[in-house]
Amino acid sequence: MIKERRLLLVVPLATALGTYASCEAKEREPKKPLNIIYIMSDDHSIQTISSYDKRFITTPNIDRIASEGVRFTNSFVANSISGPSRACMLTGKFSHKNSMPTNLTRFDSTQVTFPKILRENGYQTAIFGKWHLKSEPSGFDRWEVLVGQGQYFDPIFITPQGRVTHKGYSTDIITDMSIEWMERERDKNRPFCLVIHHKAPHRNWMPNTTDIDLFEDVTFPLPDNFYDNYEGRPAAAAQEMSIAKDELDYAFDLKLNDPEIDTRLKENLTFALRRLDSVQRREWNRVYDSVLADFKARDLKGRDLAEWKYQRYMKDYLKCIKSLDDNIGRVLDYLKENDMLENTIIIYTSDQGFYMGEHGWFDKRFMYEESFRTPLLIRLPKEYRRLGKRGDIPQFVQNIDYAPTILELAGAPVPKEMQGESFVPLLEGRRPKEWRRSLYYQYFEFPAEHAVRRHYGVRTEGYKLIRFYGHDINNWELYDLKRDPSEMKNLYGNPEYKKVQEELHAELKRLMIKYEDFEEQDKRDYLGL
Ligand code: SGN
Ligand code: CA
């Protein structure tokens, strides 16, 4: 096979790259066209990536991305739920500006997105995997995306030519498609942007049968605030995403497939299991029938039952992560074998963070740390690694920054309407004096599954102010993140924090005006408009 690097060297730089946005970057050394691989999983928590947190699992392949590049230690989303997060990422705009405030809305695909601009600037673009924006993908030369949330086994994909079912496990299939496209379909004379969107580890956490025995003997540590009583936090008390309660379904989520166990989501398990072939089904039953037998024999109650559910949840979730990590390894190996690592930038992130039992929860949505944060690891080609120090980047970044960053990396123009900021200076090892010191957050999906109330807020390095509003709620929360990193004590109205509270209100108002978020009455009232 002809080596990638040689081919790229014959590409005239001007055609492939356009002009560089940053003059400083240009002066350092001439750059070759960079390929961009953007890998995003669904609901992958920071807690379950070993380069962030070693308590639960080792993820050697995801860690390779960080060890040959950078780890963002303060990476956040703008709206912690799938469709909205994907819209923020594609458009570089907050939810009130990008037509996708909730999973129930439909993405306006005529909007300006980074893949469209890349395409206009000489890049070939492709996406495989979860899309979840209702309207068809636009801006991609090649796309094949899951129907809605997609299935773990034998998933159905939408293509411009219609629907196709692929046999196998979704994480493997999405990886196969991506490698296949790099190997056989693209034009090897032009730079590319490949978007790989995994379904895993989204609910109901169905592992590949090859990983089904993993973690069965492991007991995971329970988070300190698993038995949170939500005192002083009415929105946290009103959620419906508790591991201990029936919201974590015995059949669908815990895979207890038994005629005596008749739950709200039992049918969903039945449908999901129909997609397994006889060999897969035998393996599945071998493990989950014995889990069921053990469950029945124990006759658990109260905290013992809650903790058993937590252990099962963790095992299944982590089995899905194992497959994800292996498949990311396959992509990295392919790039290495084909001499592409040094002209490709590899981004790994998730559409949001996730609760691994903190506050007693699964799911996301809240502006509390575990779901507001999202992993962000970037493998850098040598020319970037030489520019600055590798390792941790502590500055605040948010998923609205991805579009402008990717565009700048490709030497393409960044449209003014994008509200995020390119963090290329951080990737080049620069530490700009002026950088974002606070983050704005929005969540709109209520009434809806899991009953998380609408909210918005601001986070600074040390504090967080959140407003829950609409329907049955109207309250403020204030956290001292240094003293109370788990956000258990709402300090709003506490006289000791009077000055902090005032400053946070001023900052929140500044951000709302900066980002022009005044569509809802509650926000207009707050801003006095
Ligand atoms: C599904 C899940 C929810 C989850 C949403 C949003 N229920 O509706 O638990 O919060 O997706 O997830 S399920 O019974 O269908 O699994 S998101 O990541 O797509 O935003
Ligand atoms: Ca998600």
Side-chain angles (χ1 to χ4, degrees), residues 41-43 81-82 86 130 202 350-354 364:
S41 50
D42 192 1
D43 294 359
I81 188 153
S82 168
R86 287 158 209 272
K130 185 167 171 178
H202 190 272
S350 169
D351 63 342
Q352 13 68 206
F354 212 65
K364 55 261 175 176

Side-chain angles (χ1 to χ4, degrees), residues 218-223 226-227 243-245 248 250 254 298 300-315:
V218 181
T219 304
F220 296 102
L222 202 65
F226 184 75
Y227 293 111
I243 290 174
K245 294 192 185 163
L248 190 75
Y250 285 95
L254 297 167
R298 285 172 190 246
L300 299 164
K301 303 259 174 338
R303 289 193 166 197
D304 291 338
L305 176 58
E307 289 174 30
W308 184 87
K309 290 175 79 181
Y310 165 76
Q311 294 296 337
R312 290 304 327 162
Y313 161 61
M314 292 297 286
K315 288 179 183 25

